[in-house]
Coordinates of all heavy atoms in Angstrom, one line a residue:
M1 N -9.7 6.9 -5.9 CA -8.3 6.7 -5.6 C -7.8 5.6 -6.6 O -6.6 5.3 -6.5 CB -8.1 6.2 -4.2 CG -8.1 7.4 -3.2 SD -7.3 7.0 -1.7 CE -8.3 5.8 -0.9
N2 N -8.6 5.0 -7.4 CA -8.1 3.9 -8.3 C -7.7 4.4 -9.7 O -7.8 3.6 -10.6 CB -9.2 2.9 -8.4 CG -9.2 2.0 -7.2 OD1 -8.2 1.9 -6.4 ND2 -10.3 1.3 -6.9
A3 N -7.4 5.6 -9.9 CA -6.9 6.1 -11.2 C -5.5 5.6 -11.4 O -4.6 6.0 -10.9 CB -7.0 7.6 -11.2
R4 N -5.4 4.6 -12.3 CA -4.1 3.9 -12.6 C -3.9 3.8 -14.1 O -4.9 3.7 -14.8 CB -4.1 2.5 -11.9 CG -4.3 2.6 -10.4 CD -3.5 1.6 -9.7 NE -3.5 1.8 -8.3 CZ -4.5 1.4 -7.5 NH1 -5.6 0.9 -7.9 NH2 -4.4 1.6 -6.2
L5 N -2.7 3.6 -14.4 CA -2.4 3.4 -15.8 C -2.0 2.0 -16.1 O -0.9 1.6 -15.6 CB -1.2 4.4 -16.3 CG -1.5 5.9 -16.1 CD1 -0.2 6.6 -16.4 CD2 -2.6 6.3 -17.0
G6 N -2.8 1.3 -16.7 CA -2.5 -0.1 -17.1 C -2.4 -1.0 -15.9 O -2.3 -0.6 -14.8
G7 N -2.4 -2.3 -16.1 CA -2.2 -3.3 -15.0 C -3.4 -3.3 -14.1 O -4.3 -2.5 -14.2
S8 N -3.4 -4.4 -13.3 CA -4.5 -4.6 -12.4 C -4.2 -4.0 -11.0 O -3.1 -3.6 -10.7 CB -4.8 -6.1 -12.2 OG -3.8 -6.7 -11.5
D9 N -5.3 -3.8 -10.2 CA -5.1 -3.3 -8.8 C -4.1 -4.2 -8.1 O -3.3 -3.8 -7.3 CB -6.4 -3.3 -8.1 CG -7.3 -2.1 -8.5 OD1 -6.8 -1.2 -9.2 OD2 -8.5 -2.1 -8.2
G10 N -4.2 -5.5 -8.3 CA -3.4 -6.5 -7.6 C -1.9 -6.3 -8.0 O -1.0 -6.4 -7.1
E11 N -1.6 -6.0 -9.2 CA -0.3 -5.7 -9.7 C 0.3 -4.5 -9.0 O 1.4 -4.4 -8.6 CB -0.2 -5.6 -11.2 CG -0.4 -7.0 -11.9 CD -0.6 -6.8 -13.4 OE1 -0.6 -5.7 -13.9 OE2 -0.7 -7.8 -14.1
H12 N -0.6 -3.4 -9.0 CA -0.1 -2.2 -8.3 C 0.1 -2.4 -6.8 O 1.0 -1.8 -6.3 CB -1.1 -1.1 -8.6 CG -1.1 -0.6 -10.0 ND1 -0.2 0.2 -10.5 CD2 -2.0 -0.9 -11.0 CE1 -0.4 0.4 -11.8 NE2 -1.5 -0.3 -12.1
G13 N -0.8 -3.2 -6.2 CA -0.6 -3.4 -4.8 C 0.7 -4.2 -4.5 O 1.4 -3.9 -3.6
L14 N 0.9 -5.2 -5.3 CA 2.2 -6.0 -5.2 C 3.4 -5.1 -5.4 O 4.3 -5.1 -4.6 CB 2.2 -7.1 -6.2 CG 3.4 -8.0 -6.2 CD1 3.5 -8.7 -4.8 CD2 3.3 -9.1 -7.3
A15 N 3.4 -4.3 -6.4 CA 4.5 -3.4 -6.7 C 4.7 -2.4 -5.5 O 5.9 -2.1 -5.1 CB 4.2 -2.6 -8.0
A16 N 3.6 -1.9 -4.9 CA 3.8 -0.9 -3.8 C 4.4 -1.6 -2.6 O 5.3 -1.1 -1.9 CB 2.4 -0.4 -3.5
A17 N 3.9 -2.9 -2.3 CA 4.5 -3.6 -1.2 C 5.9 -3.9 -1.4 O 6.8 -3.8 -0.5 CB 3.7 -4.9 -0.9
L18 N 6.3 -4.3 -2.6 CA 7.7 -4.6 -2.9 C 8.6 -3.4 -2.8 O 9.7 -3.5 -2.4 CB 7.8 -5.2 -4.4 CG 7.2 -6.6 -4.5 CD1 7.1 -7.0 -6.0 CD2 7.9 -7.6 -3.7
R19 N 8.1 -2.2 -3.2 CA 8.9 -1.0 -3.0 C 9.1 -0.7 -1.5 O 10.2 -0.3 -1.2 CB 8.1 0.2 -3.6 CG 8.3 0.4 -5.1 CD 7.8 1.7 -5.6 NE 6.5 2.1 -5.2 CZ 5.4 1.7 -5.8 NH1 5.4 0.9 -6.9 NH2 4.2 2.1 -5.3
R20 N 8.1 -0.9 -0.7 CA 8.2 -0.6 0.7 C 9.0 -1.6 1.4 O 9.8 -1.3 2.4 CB 6.8 -0.5 1.3 CG 6.7 -0.2 2.8 CD 7.2 1.2 3.0 NE 7.1 1.5 4.4 CZ 6.4 2.5 4.9 NH1 5.7 3.3 4.2 NH2 6.4 2.7 6.2
F21 N 9.0 -2.9 1.1 CA 9.7 -3.9 1.8 C 10.5 -4.8 0.8 O 10.2 -6.0 0.6 CB 8.7 -4.9 2.5 CG 7.8 -4.2 3.5 CD1 6.5 -3.9 3.1 CD2 8.3 -3.8 4.7 CE1 5.6 -3.2 4.0 CE2 7.4 -3.1 5.6 CZ 6.1 -2.8 5.3
P22 N 11.5 -4.2 0.1 CA 12.2 -4.9 -0.9 C 13.0 -6.2 -0.4 O 13.1 -7.2 -1.1 CB 13.2 -3.9 -1.5 CG 13.3 -2.9 -0.4 CD 12.0 -2.9 0.3
A23 N 13.4 -6.2 0.8 CA 14.1 -7.3 1.4 C 13.2 -8.5 1.6 O 13.7 -9.6 1.8 CB 14.8 -6.9 2.7
R24 N 11.9 -8.3 1.5 CA 10.9 -9.4 1.8 C 10.2 -9.7 0.5 O 9.0 -10.2 0.6 CB 10.0 -9.0 2.9 CG 10.8 -8.7 4.2 CD 10.0 -8.3 5.3 NE 9.5 -9.5 6.0 CZ 8.8 -9.5 7.1 NH1 8.6 -8.3 7.7 NH2 8.5 -10.6 7.7
S25 N 10.8 -9.5 -0.6 CA 10.1 -9.7 -1.9 C 9.5 -11.1 -2.1 O 8.4 -11.3 -2.5 CB 10.9 -9.2 -3.1 OG 12.0 -10.0 -3.2
L26 N 10.3 -12.1 -1.8 CA 9.9 -13.4 -2.0 C 8.7 -13.7 -1.1 O 7.7 -14.3 -1.6 CB 11.0 -14.4 -1.7 CG 10.7 -15.9 -1.9 CD1 10.2 -16.2 -3.3 CD2 11.8 -16.8 -1.5
Q27 N 8.8 -13.3 0.1 CA 7.7 -13.6 1.0 C 6.4 -12.8 0.6 O 5.3 -13.4 0.7 CB 8.1 -13.2 2.4 CG 7.1 -13.6 3.5 CD 7.6 -13.1 4.9 OE1 8.5 -12.3 5.0 NE2 6.9 -13.7 5.9
I28 N 6.6 -11.6 0.1 CA 5.4 -10.8 -0.3 C 4.8 -11.5 -1.5 O 3.5 -11.6 -1.6 CB 5.9 -9.4 -0.7 CG1 6.2 -8.6 0.6 CG2 4.8 -8.7 -1.5 CD1 6.9 -7.3 0.3
R29 N 5.6 -12.0 -2.5 CA 5.0 -12.6 -3.7 C 4.3 -13.9 -3.3 O 3.2 -14.2 -3.8 CB 6.1 -12.9 -4.6 CG 6.7 -11.7 -5.3 CD 7.9 -12.0 -6.2 NE 8.6 -10.9 -6.6 CZ 8.2 -10.0 -7.6 NH1 7.1 -10.3 -8.2 NH2 8.9 -9.0 -7.9
E30 N 4.9 -14.7 -2.4 CA 4.2 -16.0 -2.0 C 2.9 -15.7 -1.2 O 1.9 -16.4 -1.5 CB 5.2 -16.8 -1.1 CG 6.4 -17.3 -1.9 CD 7.4 -18.0 -1.0 OE1 7.3 -17.9 0.3 OE2 8.3 -18.7 -1.5
L31 N 2.9 -14.7 -0.3 CA 1.7 -14.5 0.4 C 0.6 -13.9 -0.4 O -0.5 -14.2 -0.3 CB 2.1 -13.5 1.6 CG 1.0 -13.3 2.7 CD1 0.5 -14.7 3.3 CD2 1.5 -12.4 3.8
S32 N 1.0 -13.1 -1.4 CA 0.0 -12.5 -2.3 C -0.7 -13.5 -3.2 O -1.8 -13.3 -3.6 CB 0.6 -11.4 -3.1 OG 1.5 -11.9 -4.1
I33 N 0.0 -14.6 -3.4 CA -0.6 -15.7 -4.3 C -1.7 -16.4 -3.5 O -2.7 -16.7 -4.0 CB 0.5 -16.7 -4.7 CG1 1.4 -16.0 -5.8 CG2 -0.1 -17.9 -5.3 CD1 2.7 -16.8 -6.1
R34 N -1.4 -16.6 -2.2 CA -2.3 -17.5 -1.4 C -3.3 -16.7 -0.5 O -4.2 -17.4 0.1 CB -1.5 -18.5 -0.7 CG -0.7 -18.0 0.4 CD 0.0 -19.2 1.2 NE 0.6 -18.7 2.4 CZ 1.8 -18.3 2.6 NH1 2.7 -18.4 1.6 NH2 2.3 -17.9 3.8
D35 N -3.1 -15.4 -0.3 CA -3.9 -14.7 0.7 C -4.6 -13.5 0.1 O -4.0 -12.5 -0.1 CB -3.0 -14.3 1.9 CG -3.8 -13.8 3.1 OD1 -4.9 -13.3 2.9 OD2 -3.2 -13.9 4.2
E36 N -5.9 -13.7 -0.1 CA -6.7 -12.6 -0.7 C -6.7 -11.3 0.2 O -6.7 -10.2 -0.3 CB -8.1 -13.1 -1.0 CG -9.0 -12.1 -1.7 CD -10.4 -12.6 -2.0 OE1 -10.6 -13.8 -1.9 OE2 -11.2 -11.8 -2.4
S37 N -6.8 -11.5 1.5 CA -6.8 -10.4 2.4 C -5.5 -9.6 2.3 O -5.5 -8.4 2.4 CB -7.0 -10.9 3.8 OG -6.9 -9.9 4.8
F38 N -4.4 -10.3 2.2 CA -3.1 -9.7 2.1 C -3.1 -8.9 0.8 O -2.6 -7.7 0.7 CB -2.0 -10.7 2.1 CG -0.6 -10.1 2.0 CD1 0.0 -9.4 3.1 CD2 0.1 -10.2 0.8 CE1 1.2 -8.9 2.9 CE2 1.4 -9.6 0.7 CZ 1.9 -8.9 1.8
R39 N -3.6 -9.4 -0.3 CA -3.6 -8.7 -1.6 C -4.4 -7.5 -1.4 O -4.1 -6.4 -2.0 CB -4.2 -9.6 -2.7 CG -3.2 -10.7 -3.2 CD -3.7 -11.3 -4.5 NE -5.1 -11.9 -4.4 CZ -5.3 -13.1 -4.0 NH1 -4.4 -13.9 -3.6 NH2 -6.6 -13.5 -3.9
G40 N -5.5 -7.5 -0.7 CA -6.4 -6.4 -0.5 C -5.6 -5.3 0.3 O -5.8 -4.1 0.0
M41 N -4.9 -5.7 1.3 CA -4.1 -4.7 2.0 C -3.1 -4.0 1.1 O -2.9 -2.8 1.2 CB -3.3 -5.4 3.2 CG -4.0 -5.6 4.4 SD -2.9 -6.2 5.7 CE -3.0 -7.9 5.5
C42 N -2.5 -4.8 0.3 CA -1.5 -4.2 -0.7 C -2.1 -3.3 -1.6 O -1.6 -2.2 -2.0 CB -0.7 -5.3 -1.4 SG 0.3 -6.3 -0.3
E43 N -3.3 -3.6 -2.1 CA -4.1 -2.8 -3.0 C -4.5 -1.4 -2.3 O -4.3 -0.4 -2.9 CB -5.3 -3.5 -3.6 CG -5.0 -4.6 -4.5 CD -6.1 -5.6 -4.8 OE1 -7.3 -5.2 -4.4 OE2 -5.9 -6.6 -5.3
D44 N -4.9 -1.5 -1.1 CA -5.2 -0.3 -0.3 C -4.0 0.5 -0.1 O -4.1 1.8 -0.2 CB -5.8 -0.7 1.0 CG -7.2 -1.3 0.9 OD1 -7.8 -1.2 -0.2 OD2 -7.7 -1.9 1.9
F45 N -2.9 -0.1 0.1 CA -1.6 0.6 0.3 C -1.2 1.4 -0.9 O -0.9 2.6 -0.9 CB -0.5 -0.4 0.7 CG 0.8 0.2 1.0 CD1 1.1 0.9 2.1 CD2 1.9 0.0 0.1 CE1 2.3 1.4 2.4 CE2 3.1 0.6 0.3 CZ 3.4 1.3 1.5
A46 N -1.4 0.7 -2.1 CA -1.0 1.4 -3.3 C -2.0 2.5 -3.6 O -1.6 3.6 -4.1 CB -1.1 0.4 -4.5
A47 N -3.3 2.4 -3.3 CA -4.3 3.4 -3.5 C -4.0 4.6 -2.6 O -4.1 5.8 -3.0 CB -5.7 2.9 -3.2
A48 N -3.5 4.4 -1.4 CA -3.2 5.5 -0.5 C -2.0 6.2 -1.0 O -1.9 7.4 -0.9 CB -3.0 4.9 1.0
E49 N -1.0 5.5 -1.5 CA 0.2 6.1 -2.0 C -0.2 7.0 -3.2 O 0.3 8.1 -3.4 CB 1.2 5.1 -2.5 CG 2.0 4.5 -1.4 CD 3.1 3.6 -1.9 OE1 3.0 3.0 -3.0 OE2 4.1 3.4 -1.2
N50 N -1.1 6.5 -4.0 CA -1.5 7.2 -5.2 C -2.3 8.5 -4.8 O -2.1 9.5 -5.4 CB -2.5 6.3 -6.1 CG -2.8 6.9 -7.4 OD1 -1.9 7.4 -8.1 ND2 -4.0 6.9 -7.8
A51 N -3.1 8.4 -3.8 CA -3.8 9.5 -3.3 C -2.9 10.6 -2.8 O -3.1 11.8 -3.0 CB -4.8 9.1 -2.2
L52 N -1.9 10.2 -2.0 CA -0.9 11.1 -1.5 C -0.2 11.8 -2.7 O 0.1 13.0 -2.6 CB 0.1 10.4 -0.6 CG 1.2 11.3 0.0 CD1 0.6 12.4 0.8 CD2 2.2 10.5 0.8
A53 N 0.2 11.1 -3.7 CA 0.9 11.7 -4.9 C 0.0 12.8 -5.5 O 0.6 13.7 -6.1 CB 1.2 10.6 -5.9
Y54 N -1.3 12.6 -5.5 CA -2.2 13.6 -6.1 C -2.7 14.7 -5.1 O -3.4 15.5 -5.5 CB -3.3 12.9 -6.8 CG -2.8 12.2 -8.1 CD1 -2.6 10.8 -8.1 CD2 -2.6 12.9 -9.2 CE1 -2.1 10.2 -9.2 CE2 -2.1 12.3 -10.4 CZ -1.9 10.9 -10.3 OH -1.4 10.3 -11.5
A55 N -2.3 14.6 -3.9 CA -2.8 15.5 -2.9 C -2.4 17.0 -3.2 O -3.2 17.9 -2.8 CB -2.3 15.1 -1.5
D56 N -1.3 17.2 -3.9 CA -0.9 18.6 -4.2 C -1.9 19.2 -5.1 O -1.9 20.5 -5.2 CB 0.5 18.6 -4.8 CG 1.5 18.3 -3.8 OD1 1.3 18.6 -2.6 OD2 2.6 17.9 -4.2
Q57 N -2.8 18.5 -5.8 CA -3.8 19.0 -6.7 C -5.0 19.4 -6.0 O -5.9 20.0 -6.6 CB -4.1 18.0 -7.8 CG -2.9 17.7 -8.7 CD -3.2 16.6 -9.7 OE1 -4.3 16.2 -9.9 NE2 -2.1 16.1 -10.3
L58 N -5.1 19.1 -4.7 CA -6.3 19.5 -3.9 C -6.4 21.0 -3.6 O -5.3 21.6 -3.6 CB -6.4 18.7 -2.6 CG -6.5 17.2 -2.8 CD1 -6.3 16.5 -1.4 CD2 -7.9 16.8 -3.3
P59 N -7.5 21.5 -3.3 CA -7.6 22.9 -3.0 C -6.7 23.2 -1.7 O -6.6 22.3 -0.8 CB -9.1 23.1 -2.6 CG -9.8 22.0 -3.3 CD -8.8 20.8 -3.4
S60 N -6.1 24.3 -1.7 CA -5.2 24.7 -0.6 C -5.8 24.6 0.7 O -5.1 24.3 1.7 CB -4.6 26.1 -0.9 OG -5.6 27.0 -0.9
N61 N -7.1 24.8 0.9 CA -7.7 24.8 2.2 C -7.8 23.4 2.8 O -8.1 23.3 4.0 CB -9.1 25.5 2.2 CG -10.1 24.8 1.3 OD1 -9.7 24.3 0.2 ND2 -11.3 24.8 1.7
V62 N -7.6 22.4 2.0 CA -7.7 21.0 2.6 C -6.4 20.2 2.3 O -6.3 19.1 2.8 CB -8.9 20.2 2.0 CG1 -10.2 20.9 2.4 CG2 -8.8 20.1 0.5
R63 N -5.5 20.7 1.5 CA -4.4 20.0 1.1 C -3.5 19.4 2.2 O -3.3 18.2 2.2 CB -3.5 20.9 0.2 CG -2.3 20.2 -0.5 CD -1.5 21.2 -1.3 NE -2.4 21.8 -2.3 CZ -2.4 23.1 -2.6 NH1 -1.5 23.9 -2.1 NH2 -3.2 23.6 -3.5
D64 N -3.1 20.2 3.2 CA -2.2 19.8 4.2 C -2.9 18.7 5.1 O -2.3 17.7 5.5 CB -1.8 20.9 5.1 CG -0.8 21.8 4.4 OD1 -0.2 21.4 3.4 OD2 -0.6 23.0 4.8
E65 N -4.2 18.9 5.4 CA -4.9 17.9 6.2 C -5.0 16.6 5.5 O -4.8 15.5 6.1 CB -6.3 18.5 6.5 CG -7.1 17.6 7.5 CD -8.4 18.2 7.9 OE1 -8.6 19.4 7.6 OE2 -9.2 17.4 8.3
R66 N -5.3 16.6 4.2 CA -5.5 15.4 3.4 C -4.1 14.7 3.3 O -4.0 13.5 3.4 CB -6.0 15.7 2.0 CG -7.5 16.1 2.0 CD -8.4 15.0 2.4 NE -9.2 15.1 3.5 CZ -9.9 16.1 4.0 NH1 -9.8 17.3 3.5 NH2 -10.7 16.0 5.1
R67 N -3.0 15.5 3.1 CA -1.7 14.9 3.0 C -1.4 14.1 4.3 O -0.9 13.0 4.3 CB -0.7 15.9 2.7 CG -0.7 16.4 1.2 CD 0.4 17.4 0.9 NE 1.7 16.9 1.0 CZ 2.3 16.1 0.1 NH1 1.7 15.8 -1.0 NH2 3.5 15.7 0.3
A68 N -1.7 14.8 5.4 CA -1.4 14.1 6.7 C -2.2 12.9 6.9 O -1.7 11.8 7.4 CB -1.7 15.1 7.8
E69 N -3.5 12.9 6.4 CA -4.4 11.7 6.5 C -3.8 10.6 5.7 O -3.8 9.4 6.1 CB -5.8 12.1 6.1 CG -6.5 12.9 7.1 CD -7.9 13.3 6.5 OE1 -8.3 12.9 5.4 OE2 -8.6 14.1 7.2
F70 N -3.4 10.9 4.4 CA -2.9 9.9 3.5 C -1.6 9.3 4.1 O -1.4 8.1 4.0 CB -2.7 10.4 2.1 CG -4.0 10.8 1.4 CD1 -4.0 12.0 0.6 CD2 -5.2 10.1 1.6 CE1 -5.2 12.4 0.0 CE2 -6.3 10.5 1.0 CZ -6.3 11.6 0.2
R71 N -0.7 10.1 4.6 CA 0.5 9.6 5.2 C 0.3 8.7 6.3 O 0.9 7.7 6.5 CB 1.4 10.8 5.7 CG 2.2 11.5 4.6 CD 3.2 12.5 5.1 NE 3.8 13.3 4.1 CZ 3.5 14.6 3.9 NH1 2.7 15.2 4.8 NH2 4.0 15.2 2.9
S72 N -0.7 9.1 7.2 CA -1.1 8.2 8.3 C -1.6 6.9 7.9 O -1.3 5.8 8.4 CB -2.1 9.0 9.2 OG -2.5 8.2 10.3
L73 N -2.5 7.0 6.8 CA -3.1 5.7 6.3 C -2.0 4.8 5.7 O -2.0 3.6 5.9 CB -4.1 6.1 5.2 CG -4.8 4.9 4.5 CD1 -5.5 4.0 5.5 CD2 -5.8 5.5 3.5
I74 N -1.0 5.4 5.0 CA 0.1 4.7 4.4 C 0.9 4.0 5.5 O 1.2 2.8 5.4 CB 1.0 5.6 3.6 CG1 0.3 6.0 2.3 CG2 2.3 4.9 3.3 CD1 0.9 7.1 1.5
E75 N 1.2 4.7 6.6 CA 2.0 4.1 7.7 C 1.2 3.0 8.4 O 1.7 1.9 8.7 CB 2.4 5.1 8.6 CG 3.5 6.1 8.1 CD 4.6 5.4 7.4 OE1 5.2 4.4 8.0 OE2 5.0 5.7 6.3
S76 N -0.1 3.2 8.5 CA -1.0 2.2 9.2 C -1.0 0.9 8.3 O -0.9 -0.2 8.8 CB -2.4 2.8 9.4 OG -3.2 1.8 9.9
L77 N -1.2 1.1 7.0 CA -1.3 -0.1 6.1 C 0.1 -0.8 6.0 O 0.1 -2.0 6.0 CB -1.8 0.4 4.7 CG -3.3 0.7 4.7 CD1 -3.6 1.5 3.4 CD2 -4.1 -0.5 4.8
A78 N 1.1 0.0 6.0 CA 2.5 -0.6 6.0 C 2.7 -1.5 7.2 O 3.2 -2.6 7.2 CB 3.6 0.4 5.9
A79 N 2.2 -1.0 8.4 CA 2.3 -1.8 9.6 C 1.5 -3.1 9.5 O 1.9 -4.1 10.0 CB 1.9 -0.9 10.8
E80 N 0.3 -3.0 8.9 CA -0.5 -4.2 8.8 C 0.2 -5.2 7.8 O 0.1 -6.4 8.1 CB -1.9 -3.8 8.2 CG -2.9 -3.2 9.2 CD -4.2 -3.0 8.5 OE1 -4.7 -4.0 7.9 OE2 -4.8 -1.9 8.7
I81 N 0.7 -4.7 6.8 CA 1.4 -5.6 5.8 C 2.6 -6.2 6.5 O 2.8 -7.5 6.4 CB 1.9 -4.8 4.6 CG1 0.7 -4.4 3.7 CG2 2.9 -5.6 3.8 CD1 1.0 -3.4 2.6
E82 N 3.4 -5.5 7.3 CA 4.5 -6.0 8.0 C 4.1 -7.0 9.0 O 4.7 -8.1 9.2 CB 5.3 -4.9 8.7 CG 6.6 -5.3 9.2 CD 7.5 -4.1 9.5 OE1 7.0 -3.1 9.9 OE2 8.7 -4.3 9.4
Q83 N 3.0 -6.8 9.7 CA 2.4 -7.7 10.7 C 2.0 -9.0 10.0 O 2.3 -10.1 10.5 CB 1.3 -7.1 11.4 CG 0.7 -8.0 12.5 CD -0.4 -7.3 13.3 OE1 -0.9 -6.3 12.9 NE2 -0.9 -8.0 14.4
A84 N 1.3 -8.9 8.8 CA 0.9 -10.1 8.1 C 2.1 -10.9 7.6 O 2.1 -12.1 7.6 CB 0.1 -9.7 6.9
L85 N 3.2 -10.2 7.2 CA 4.4 -10.9 6.8 C 5.1 -11.6 8.0 O 5.5 -12.7 7.8 CB 5.4 -9.9 6.2 CG 5.0 -9.3 4.8 CD1 5.9 -8.2 4.5 CD2 5.0 -10.4 3.8
G86 N 5.0 -11.0 9.1 CA 5.6 -11.6 10.3 C 4.8 -12.8 10.7 O 5.4 -13.9 11.1
A87 N 3.5 -12.8 10.6 CA 2.6 -13.9 11.0 C 2.8 -15.0 10.0 O 2.8 -16.2 10.4 CB 1.2 -13.5 11.0
A88 N 3.0 -14.7 8.7 CA 3.2 -15.7 7.7 C 4.5 -16.4 7.8 O 4.7 -17.5 7.3 CB 3.1 -15.1 6.3
S89 N 5.5 -15.8 8.4 CA 6.8 -16.4 8.5 C 7.0 -17.1 9.8 O 8.1 -17.5 10.1 CB 7.9 -15.3 8.4 OG 7.9 -14.4 9.5
G90 N 5.9 -17.4 10.5 CA 6.0 -18.1 11.8 C 6.3 -19.6 11.5 O 6.7 -19.9 10.4
P91 N 6.3 -20.4 12.6 CA 6.7 -21.8 12.4 C 5.9 -22.5 11.4 O 4.7 -22.3 11.2 CB 6.3 -22.4 13.8 CG 5.9 -21.3 14.7 CD 5.7 -20.1 13.9
I92 N 6.6 -23.4 10.7 CA 6.0 -24.1 9.6 C 5.3 -25.4 10.1 O 5.8 -26.1 10.9 CB 7.0 -24.5 8.5 CG1 7.6 -23.2 7.9 CG2 6.4 -25.4 7.4 CD1 8.7 -23.4 6.9

């Protein structure tokens, strides 16, 4: 799932999170600088988006099932990212 053109996994993860949550871009950037676990979540999110984008190339007998799995994974990871952002914006 890591077939990417240029840039690092971290950059792709950050870009994916920023696309999904554009209103929280400052918070995403700040958290990605200081939290390795958050960066990993974002990288996984980007990889799942990438896998979904290429799911149409899979054999027809598994295509729909894999697309559903990738969509579910994307939504699950988005929820984790959103939860991490919420926890990070708690009281200072």
Side-chain angles (χ1 to χ4, degrees):
M1 281 201 292
N2 282 338
R4 301 215 170 81
L5 300 174
S8 70
D9 286 347
E11 290 170 356
H12 289 280
L14 179 61
L18 292 170
R19 278 193 309 275
R20 180 67 180 238
F21 303 103
R24 301 181 86 173
S25 66
L26 180 60
Q27 189 180 13
I28 289 168
R29 290 175 191 282
E30 290 174 349
L31 191 55
S32 70
I33 290 169
R34 67 176 194 264
D35 188 334
E36 184 177 347
S37 176
F38 181 76
R39 285 192 305 273
M41 272 189 272
C42 293
E43 291 166 12
D44 291 345
F45 182 73
E49 283 187 332
N50 191 47
L52 179 60
Y54 289 98
D56 287 337
Q57 298 175 12
L58 294 172
S60 60
N61 62 325
V62 297
R63 185 179 307 138
D64 290 340
E65 186 177 343
R66 291 289 118 41
R67 287 181 62 77
E69 288 175 5
F70 296 143
R71 281 190 189 109
S72 177
L73 180 58
I74 288 167
E75 292 309 312
S76 176
L77 289 165
E80 282 187 49
I81 290 170
E82 193 165 30
Q83 183 177 11
L85 291 170
S89 67
I92 297 175

